[in-house]
Amino acid sequence: ILHKKTELYKKLNKISQKVSKRDKFGIFLKIENACLETLSLSVRAAFTPRIEKSKFISHLRVVTELLKNLIRITYEVNIIDQKIYLDLQTDLQEISKMGWGWLDFIRKQ
């Protein structure tokens, strides 16, 4: 899951270099911060005792949903094109599924 988030951040970083200054320091700043927060939460969950993991993973899922919505907004207001949007959403769907799987695994132990 951490690798996927790292790859997502790299994509977002490249995209943000091509958007206007207004968007780069507006919505894209929020998107990059949320992406970095998912990285942080993943690492924290990985190194936290099992009984505490679920709170970090649950928070990770919330931030992932926020990312999905922010990226959808960038598409809807024509900051990014459809191809980029679909690529990012595919990555986020996979990350979301991984988060669900991780949470389910932790809860069944």
Side-chain angles (χ1 to χ4, degrees):
I1 196 166
L2 188 59
H3 173 72
K4 261 308 203 192
K5 288 181 178 63
T6 303
E7 292 304 311
L8 178 65
Y9 182 79
K10 289 176 185 178
K11 287 180 185 180
L12 289 170
N13 186 274
K14 281 186 178 184
I15 295 165
S16 73
Q17 294 172 14
K18 297 175 184 175
V19 299
S20 71
K21 190 174 187 178
R22 176 178 165 239
D23 295 326
K24 182 185 281 191
F25 295 107
I27 194 165
F28 256 86
L29 184 59
K30 292 269 188 207
I31 290 170
E32 286 189 44
N33 286 337
C35 188
L36 291 171
E37 186 175 1
T38 65
L39 286 166
S40 174
L41 289 166
S42 295
V43 171
R44 291 175 78 178
F47 289 98
T48 299
R50 190 180 70 206
I51 59 172
E52 297 177 31
K53 284 183 189 295
S54 65
K55 72 178 178 183
F56 291 111
I57 299 169
S58 294
H59 191 122
L60 168 70
R61 295 209 60 258
V62 170
V63 178
T64 302
E65 290 303 313
L66 172 65
L67 266 171
K68 287 181 190 177
N69 284 289
L70 290 171
I71 289 171
R72 181 176 33 82
I73 291 168
T74 63
Y75 169 66
E76 290 174 353
V77 298
N78 298 315
I79 295 170
I80 61 173
D81 64 29
Q82 185 177 26
K83 183 181 177 196
I84 293 170
Y85 167 71
L86 293 174
D87 182 45
L88 294 174
Q89 286 296 339
T90 300
D91 289 346
L92 286 166
Q93 290 294 332
E94 189 174 340
I95 290 167
S96 184
K97 286 177 187 177
M98 291 169 129
W100 264 115
W102 196 7
L103 190 59
D104 191 41
F105 176 77
I106 295 301
R107 288 180 175 166
K108 288 181 179 179
Q109 285 186 337

